[in-house]
Amino acid sequence: MKFHILTIFPKIFDSYISESIIKRAQEKGLIKIQAHNIRDYATDKHNKVDDKVYGGGPGMVMKVEPIYKAVSSIKYQVLSMGKRGKKPKVRTILFSTRGKKFDNTIAKRLSKYDQLILICGRYEGVDERVAKYVADEEISIGDYVLSGGELPALVLLDAVSRQIQGVLGKMESLEEIKGSYEVYTRPEEFKAVVGRKSKIWRVPKVLVSGHHKKIDQERGKA
Ligand code: SAH
């Protein structure tokens, strides 16, 4: 699986993708990540990627042309590299506050693609023609407005990668949201100072009891 991230701030991704599970997934060759600077696909001499809103309104809008060029060039490379007879499955996603709400079901569905092209908006958003003609779908990561699509891209990249076989090692487990339960680790009793009083915060007794049946029941409740 290869993630192509289209952004005007490619450096944002450097630190997150070079740590932990995502780092190991790349080292194992299970995923590849490439951040493409949309500015490199601008055609005018000032590398302009945004412009004023038609009809008036505050702020700037990301232009369709550089994004269209970037997506076309990535798709061309992907399709010409594909082995004969096997066309890679590509999906182009635009992050938008008006998109489908992202969840684990969508993450699972997207993990079946060979290549994902993720378009990160900025400013007042992206010329609607990108949603209409360039992207296959629009995704929102929640009902709040962020400054750009870069955090949504990292959220999607992380959740989708976890669904790819081999990405999670023995140490981590692929949890379904419904099957997840509260967890504790040592110490069994932790002494904390709350206000002026000292308190003991304990691990629930059943979890240290060794009664596996009871533990399962306890976890089923959560
Ligand atoms: N005025 C716009 C907000 C633009 S925010 C509106 O009301 O929709 C700038 C960019 O950040 C968006 O184009 C989108 O790519 C990204 N973004 C912001 N919040 C997001 C969210 N909750 N989910 C996905 N993308 C988001």
Side-chain angles (χ1 to χ4, degrees):
M1 154 84 75
K2 180 157 180 184
F3 296 90
H4 298 271
I5 305 167
L6 268 60
T7 171
I8 54 170
F9 299 113
K11 277 191 294 196
I12 285 180
F13 299 91
D14 295 345
S15 85
Y16 192 81
I17 68 172
S18 48
E19 302 282 353
S20 188
I21 296 177
I22 299 299
K23 176 191 179 189
R24 284 201 302 276
Q26 292 170 91
E27 286 170 352
K28 285 194 225 162
L30 296 168
I31 62 168
K32 278 187 184 160
I33 303 164
Q34 191 177 353
H36 305 257
N37 194 337
I38 297 172
R39 223 171 269 287
D40 296 342
Y41 296 87
T43 42
D44 72 314
K45 61 173 187 247
H46 301 296
N47 297 102
K48 220 167 136 65
V49 290
D50 59 314
D51 212 329
K52 285 177 284 198
V53 191
Y54 266 124
M60 302 296 268
V61 173
M62 288 184 75
K63 290 157 71 68
V64 59
E65 194 183 12
I67 295 176
Y68 166 76
K69 286 220 156 106
V71 172
S72 306
S73 133
I74 292 165
K75 278 190 176 166
Y76 179 77
Q77 278 173 34
V78 166
L79 296 176
S80 57
M81 268 171 8
K83 287 177 199 95
R84 233 185 303 156
K86 199 179 167 258
K87 212 169 132 205
K89 280 176 72 185
V90 187
R91 189 87 172 158
T92 305
I93 291 156
L94 171 67
F95 292 107
S96 154
T97 50
R98 291 182 301 280
K100 257 178 279 166
K101 193 86 57 73
F102 187 63
D103 61 15
N104 237 18
T105 309
I106 299 180
K108 229 174 260 177
R109 167 168 67 78
L110 294 177
S111 72
K112 308 286 189 298
Y113 285 89
D114 301 309
Q115 309 252 345
L116 293 181
I117 302 174
L118 311 177
I119 306 169
C120 305
R122 276 270 158 179
Y123 314 119
E124 283 306 307
V126 180
D127 186 308
E128 189 61 22
R129 283 168 288 190
V130 173
K132 268 187 164 162
Y133 308 114
V134 180
D136 298 309
E137 62 184 298
E138 287 180 90
I139 286 180
S140 158
I141 63 158
D143 293 334
Y144 37 80
V145 182
L146 299 164
S147 323
E150 286 77 12
L151 286 173
L154 282 173
V155 166
L156 184 145
L157 181 150
D158 192 295
V160 170
S161 298
R162 294 174 64 87
Q163 300 291 335
I164 295 169
Q165 193 155 29
V167 166
L168 297 182
K170 261 190 247 128
M171 297 290 287
E172 311 93 10
S173 59
L174 183 63
E175 279 174 6
E176 295 300 325
I177 289 162
K178 270 192 230 136
S180 77
Y181 42 78
E182 296 164 9
V183 290
Y184 296 85
T185 185
R186 282 192 283 192
E188 199 179 319
E189 294 188 344
F190 175 71
K191 211 181 272 170
V193 180
V194 181
R196 290 215 189 129
K197 288 184 185 146
S198 104
K199 300 250 175 187
I200 294 178
W201 296 345
R202 291 188 174 83
V203 173
K205 275 212 172 63
V206 57
L207 296 180
V208 289
S209 67
H211 267 280
H212 290 291
K213 220 170 164 183
K214 281 193 186 154
I215 291 172
D216 285 347
Q217 272 168 2
E218 172 79 13
R219 286 179 172 169
K221 262 193 269 164

